[in-house]
Amino acid sequence: MTLISEHSETDTRERILVVAERLFRQIGYLKTTVADIAKELRMSPANVYRFFDSKKSIHEGVARRLMGEVELEAQRIARTPGPAVVRLREVMTTVNRMNTERYVGDNKMHEMVEIAMQEDWDVCVAHMEMIARVIGEVIANGAASGEFEIKDLQLASLCACTAMMRFFHPQMIAQCATKPGPTIDEMIDFVIAGLSPRGRVN
């Protein structure tokens, strides 16, 4: 396969995902068919199936694009110079903001996420693991600089992510929006206090 044809195939896959996401937002995840996507692209359904072997794989591709954007921004923040406390706070608030923008305000996209979580798509699991790794990276930086005091890095990152689940998970963000509970800043303060050396207030 030539380099040009490889680029062409990559471009076509990307166009399919862009159109699929738009249709998911317009008519809903469940109502969108491969035929709808193909029609928008002025190609046959068979041609779409050349790039994605099933409707589910298209849905996973869309989810991967959306989640990948969140991961890239979280990684960028995590690797920015500066105090780990500041970076940890920014990573957590950014994950919450981006997930809220992408899914919660849009009922049709929320439908896609809900089904993805129910089916336990590998892409969702990989995303959660990636966010935990990014948070673990910042916590490790903080431990190295003396900002944090931890005994088990993996446990610390898992505990931090679990504590933030209400603010990370699209379904929980939506369900808890009007329910009593701590604000995101209060929850982050609690997480940072648990990571900080005893007696130190950040």
Side-chain angles (χ1 to χ4, degrees):
M1 184 181 292
T2 66
L3 185 60
I4 292 175
S5 62
E6 286 177 358
H7 280 307
S8 178
E9 290 210 359
T10 301
D11 290 345
T12 302
R13 285 179 61 88
E14 185 66 16
R15 284 174 53 225
I16 291 169
L17 294 177
V18 168
V19 168
E21 181 185 337
R22 177 161 53 80
L23 290 176
F24 293 164
R25 292 186 187 279
Q26 289 175 349
I27 64 177
Y29 169 76
L30 291 174
K31 292 182 180 178
T32 301
T33 66
V34 173
D36 293 328
I37 297 167
K39 183 178 179 181
E40 286 287 314
L41 290 163
R42 297 181 179 176
M43 63 173 64
S44 68
N47 199 32
V48 173
Y49 283 120
R50 283 184 53 229
F51 298 92
F52 295 92
D53 61 10
S54 66
K55 180 181 174 182
K56 180 180 175 182
S57 69
I58 297 174
H59 299 157
E60 288 178 344
V62 171
R64 179 68 259 161
R65 279 181 82 247
L66 292 168
M67 294 175 185
E69 291 168 0
V70 178
E71 292 167 8
L72 286 173
E73 185 60 13
Q75 288 172 324
R76 184 195 67 76
I77 294 165
R79 290 162 190 174
T80 300
V85 169
V86 174
R87 285 181 286 139
L88 183 62
R89 183 178 297 277
E90 190 174 353
V91 166
M92 289 176 165
T93 55
T94 297
V95 171
N96 171 260
R97 175 181 56 77
M98 293 183 76
N99 282 345
T100 301
E101 290 171 352
R102 277 161 177 70
Y103 309 115
V104 178
D106 189 326
N107 289 336
K108 291 186 173 64
M109 287 303 287
H110 186 66
E111 173 188 80
M112 185 188 87
V113 175
E114 186 173 9
I115 292 172
M117 293 295 182
Q118 288 171 356
E119 294 184 356
D120 197 25
W121 285 351
D122 290 343
V123 68
C124 297
V125 175
H127 173 68
M128 290 183 281
E129 290 174 346
M130 172 61 77
I131 295 300
R133 282 198 297 273
V134 172
I135 287 174
E137 180 181 327
V138 180
I139 292 173
N141 293 161
S145 67
E147 294 171 74
F148 300 143
E149 185 178 324
I150 57 172
K151 294 180 179 179
D152 184 322
L153 175 59
Q154 184 177 11
L155 180 61
S157 63
L158 287 174
C159 286
C161 287
T162 301
M164 295 302 298
M165 195 59 66
R166 173 175 177 154
F167 301 98
F168 284 0
H169 193 300
Q171 284 178 286
M172 294 188 72
I173 294 171
Q175 291 168 0
C176 297
T178 58
K179 291 181 172 58
T183 65
I184 185 170
D185 286 326
E186 289 169 340
M187 197 68 237
I188 294 172
D189 287 342
F190 182 82
V191 171
I192 289 172
L195 294 168
S196 300
R198 291 182 182 179
R200 178 185 295 183
V201 179
N202 288 293

